[in-house]
Amino acid sequence: MAEAAVPSGELAVRRWVAGSGQSGLRVAAFLLAPFVFVLLLGPWLPDWLRAVPEAWSAPFVGWINVIVGVLRTEEIFGLLTFRDMSRAIANLIDYPLDFVEAILVAGFSDSVPGLPWIAVTGLAIVLGWYLQGRQLGIIAGVCFAYMAIFGKWELSMVTLSVVLVAAPVAGAIGVALGILAYKRRWFETLLWPVLNVMQALPHFSYMIPVAIFIGIGHKAGTIATIIFAFPVMARLTILGLKGVSPEVREAGIMAGCTGRQMLWKVELPAARPTLMVGVNQVIMLCLAMVVLASFVGAKGLGHDLLNRLRSLWIGQALEIGVVIVFMAIILDRLSQAWARKEPEHMREGPFHVRHPFLTAGAAVVAVSYILAAFIPALQLWPKSLSITTAPMWDALIDYIIVYAFDYLELIKATLLVHVLIPMRDLYLLLPWSALLVFAVTLGWYYGGWKVAGIQALFALYLAFAGFWERTLITAYMVSFAVIVCVIFGSIVGIWAASGPRRTKIVELILDTFQTFPSFIYLIPAIMLFNVNDFAAIMAIVIYATIPTTRLTIFGLRTVPHDIVEAAITSGCTPRQVLWKVRMPLAFPAIMLGINQTIMYALFMVVIAAFIGTTDLGQEIFRSKADNNAGKSLVVGLCVACMGLIADQLINAWARERRKVLGLA
Amino acid sequence: MDAKIACRSVWKLYGRDPEGFLAAHGGAPPDDAIEADGYIPAVRHASLEVFPGEILVIMGLSGSGKSTLVRCLSRLIEPTAGEVLFDGQDLLKIPARELIEIRRHKMGMVFQHFALLPHRTVLQNVAFPLEVQGVDRATRENRALEIIELVGLKGRERYYPRELSGGQQQRVGIARSLAVEPDVWFLDEPFSALDPLIRREMQDEFLRLQTMLQKTIAFITHDFDEAIRLADRIAIMNEGRIVQIGTPEELVTRPTDDYVANFTRDVAREKLLTIASVMEAPTDGQPLSDSVVRRTDRVADVARMIVTSEVPLRVADDDDRIVGVVSRTRILDVLFSRESGAGG
């Protein structure tokens, strides 16, 4: 190369590693060499290079607990403690929460009942119809009617009311932070890393601090939900505002907008598509979290699901699971339809012609109230008429246990003895110094010194946090699950990408599955494999396969058409087209899918601790039991660090690779 | 006549410390210094004037700095150095509040990709500049309705931009920029995103509006044919410099360098050139036709008459004095682009 006349030392090393640039194996070998070297050196390394002795571990837990203690007990300005203040603020959330709950189900008093279930169902139909069309209206109606008829109406409405309160609050906080970050450069530099860490923290890490400062209960669950959901909105607000076309912004300036007019009249409306993606995600995260928030006492569907699972009443748990799934589907569909909905010019005429759906909605409410006054079954579906499918599910599970138990046990035992346990023992041999070397080498090669530095920080945190062994166990579970996910996901993805109809079907399934709160995935795992490591891994696999599959399809389907045609005219067989052309080009996308799979797996592994594992997740659960906020945060950060290491490396690699392939 | 808007020695450099760099080189750094220090010159030492009622077309290929220059004129981009004079007042020295007032009342701009606000109807888009000024609703909507009718979109007031075709969207963009009755009108490649037939139609529409409104116009394009069609004068830019400013005819007949000549090579000269630029001095005793052409006639309009005549024709000026002759060989040279008719 011409410009290679005076390569810097760094560049020279890079060139040397890349060789003639054709062999991925050569690069891999060079990059892994330092790691393998430390690994092989393992048995001769001094102990402290393998696992940091307890005495040396940084007392993060203690420090955080001291801070928490101060915040709990010390009075600021001699008036209130931080805890008093946080509780006072939290009490504010009670007003909207009670209000929405009263409207949806509880009623304001005996004489003013809440909306009858047929009113809510009718409104859902009108809303679905308005946002997209008749089909969505029908789906919405069926989902809500199901909740009523299967006797889950009150629980569902309580859960829905938390979502309806938490989502707007989280959205507003997110938008406000996003705007501030967009306007003030320094705030953005501050906010990004915080958002990154927050989005990598497992759900449970939010709960304990919230429980300490606000207490256990419905309110705390709502607050935890809000805290969990707002980062995504902040992130998408920043992206959306930055993505406003410069011309639109210039049009605003030329019209003579002041700064404030610019923001409210031009930039925010122009960023609507991105903001609406955020709205959809906030709603779905709220639902996922409110189900889990039952651990800190949130009421609703999650609470009952948790109790049923704890008592191993699988049939009933499954039934609640189905309701949650319906809730997820309908919230997702409605919010996506809302996001897609483009403004249309209004027809002229009297009010009901200009606003047909508003009129229909009002009519539905009025008619429902009148009908419900005469027919109580339309106000609240009577328990005696509720249908339950629980006995059927229980029978199914009994059947499975009777006829398939031996096979399932055999699979489980074989895998445990021959794969899982050896793998775990192998992982436990991993010295932290090897991880450090691995992360830094790859970070440097793909991202430069800055990335290498950040990687080193993450690795050192993991080593010195004092939970190294648990980290390794988590790593083993996650990596086994991820391997299974990748194999399974890419096979399904390749199959699905081979024809437009298959793609459509599989994508529909994936879309639906992705909306389910992660907690739901525990149900089939427990159902089939009872409570152990294996069931946990199964739950992770079911949940975390989705992104790999999705991005495999995406990567394969978006390979430029002319390249595929060029391959065919060069005489490639279909198999050659797949393996020599489409797969290499789709590979960066697939890697991003694997990246997401890792994140999903890490989230799930913590939730799966609920069914008894010995990893970091279990530590988080224990810390919840002893109200140890410090520990829950430190361990949560361990999980986050593992995710962030993988995330940063894979992203740096994918960026580099896409640049090489000219896909960026 | 005083220029409505003008710029003097405007520079726009991108890099670490453009002001310091310019100052260090006395305000006019040589090209190799700019490159050596890693600065990217978007506009170099540009000066031009636009007179009231004139259409000045700024022509250049992508990356030539034409968009940057026009944004310096409206101070959408802060120039690194130079003066921008609006009615004799330096825009770069006035406070932000005053600049907003000037933009609100005296400037309008049309954008390449229309830059309409997607969440507003046609009516609301057009009324938008009045809305931010605080004009009350009835007044601004009446005014917007008038302009919507002017640009030929009557009946579409309640439509949203995405419900309109590209040409219609740009009509909305034009209407919006005219809503405040600006003195100066900036158009940044307004028709480049449209397909050729629509583009032609919009150019006619633009000329029609200009005959009615007589705005002072800075019009950007990368299409030389469009420039010739619309311009009173053309400024050609290359690598951030203005290489030549002149009427279309001047550019064709007297390009300052090969860069300009390259653009003008394929132009249909006969439609552009006047007889004045191809006529010769009469020689004594030469046999001449009885027919007379005017020096301001376009070659294309009188070519048939001249070519069918055996002998040269006489050329008269506005006072009917004979100022030269024009022969069929000269006209044939123009028609077949043998050589530019340097002369007149």
Side-chain angles (χ1 to χ4, degrees), chain A residues 326-338:
Chain A
F326 274 21
M327 179 85 81
I329 291 177
I330 201 59
L331 286 176
D332 182 54
R333 290 290 180 85
L334 287 176
S335 56
Q336 285 209 22
W338 185 27

Side-chain angles (χ1 to χ4, degrees), chain B residues 129-253:
Chain B
L130 297 164
E131 183 186 325
V132 298
Q133 288 177 22
V135 175
D136 70 273
R137 190 178 166 131
T139 316
R140 69 178 188 244
E141 292 197 342
N142 281 333
R143 170 74 190 138
L145 285 172
E146 278 170 33
I147 306 173
I148 290 170
E149 188 171 356
L150 185 72
V151 300
L153 279 180
K154 198 170 159 60
R156 298 290 159 99
E157 297 86 357
R158 288 166 181 277
Y159 280 57
Y160 284 89
R162 95 192 147 81
E163 299 176 299
L164 303 174
S165 70
Q168 288 172 327
Q169 290 192 35
Q170 193 57 298
R171 283 170 195 264
V172 179
I174 288 173
R176 177 178 64 185
S177 68
L178 293 175
V180 298
E181 301 181 52
D183 301 344
V184 176
W185 201 13
F186 299 108
L187 297 102
D188 180 12
E189 303 213 24
F191 310 138
S192 300
L194 306 175
D195 53 38
L197 280 178
I198 307 286
R199 193 180 308 162
R200 181 123 194 135
E201 185 189 315
M202 292 295 284
Q203 288 166 356
D204 291 337
E205 183 77 15
F206 167 76
L207 288 173
R208 179 181 72 87
L209 285 173
Q210 172 62 358
T211 19
M212 286 164 60
L213 304 171
Q214 290 297 313
K215 304 287 180 199
T216 305
I217 294 174
F219 187 112
I220 298 183
T221 182
H222 63 253
D223 175 355
F224 194 63
D225 291 331
E226 182 170 80
I228 286 180
R229 243 183 127 217
L230 305 179
D232 292 321
R233 288 187 304 143
I234 299 176
I236 293 193
M237 287 191 73
N238 181 28
E239 293 180 345
R241 282 192 196 82
I242 296 178
V243 275
Q244 187 171 7
I245 304 185
T247 62
E249 194 175 355
E250 280 167 355
L251 293 183
V252 170
T253 54

Side-chain angles (χ1 to χ4, degrees), chain A residues 119-368:
Chain A
V120 177
T121 308
L123 285 176
I125 296 174
V126 172
L127 188 63
W129 201 320
Y130 165 68
L131 290 176
Q132 188 172 312
R134 192 164 41 183
Q135 202 191 357
L136 185 58
I138 292 170
I139 296 175
V142 168
C143 286
F144 275 93
Y146 178 93
M147 293 170 199
I149 293 169
F150 281 73
K152 299 286 180 284
W153 186 253
E154 284 156 298
L155 291 178
S156 308
M157 289 307 108
V158 170
T159 297
L160 183 62
S161 64
V162 176
V163 174
L164 289 183
V165 169
V169 175
I173 296 174
V175 169
L177 289 177
I179 290 173
L180 196 59
Y182 172 70
K183 292 275 172 194
R184 300 269 176 275
R185 196 56 200 271
W186 61 267
F187 189 70
E188 193 194 341
T189 3
L190 212 72
L191 191 63
W192 270 119
V194 176
L195 291 181
N196 281 338
V197 172
M198 281 187 81
Q199 286 192 293
L201 271 180
H203 308 66
F204 285 105
S205 301
Y206 290 94
M207 290 187 190
I208 296 99
V210 169
I212 285 173
F213 288 109
I214 291 155
I216 299 272
H218 196 48
K219 197 163 47 188
T222 310
I223 303 270
T225 303
I226 292 170
I227 299 177
F228 182 71
F230 83 78
V232 70
M233 193 71 216
R235 187 183 286 263
L236 283 163
T237 304
I238 300 175
L239 285 181
L241 288 174
K242 284 192 168 172
V244 172
S245 110
E247 270 198 352
V248 169
R249 199 170 287 130
E250 285 175 346
I253 300 176
M254 288 307 289
C257 285
T258 59
R260 188 169 305 179
Q261 286 174 328
M262 192 69 188
L263 181 67
W264 293 104
K265 290 180 187 255
V266 178
E267 289 172 326
L268 280 175
R272 180 180 183 273
T274 318
L275 295 181
M276 288 308 292
V277 172
V279 167
N280 171 258
Q281 292 198 12
V282 164
I283 292 177
M284 298 321 287
L285 286 177
C286 279
L287 181 64
M289 187 65 177
V290 77
V291 173
L292 281 172
S294 51
F295 281 94
V296 287
K299 295 182 289 175
L301 291 166
H303 182 75
D304 274 46
L305 176 58
L306 183 67
N307 284 342
R308 301 292 186 280
L309 276 182
R310 278 191 172 139
S311 344
L312 282 180
W313 292 343
I314 302 296
Q316 292 191 11
L318 207 61
E319 207 175 50
I320 299 176
V322 172
V323 175
I324 295 176
V325 162
F326 274 21
M327 179 85 81
I329 291 177
I330 201 59
L331 286 176
D332 182 54
R333 290 290 180 85
L334 287 176
S335 56
Q336 285 209 22
W338 185 27
R340 273 197 303 267
K341 184 154 184 68
E342 303 271 8
E344 263 169 51
H345 61 276
M346 215 183 271
R347 268 170 291 176
E348 311 214 16
F351 185 84
H352 70 274
V353 174
R354 279 179 289 142
H355 305 280
F357 291 99
L358 216 55
T359 317
V364 163
V365 173
V367 172
S368 312

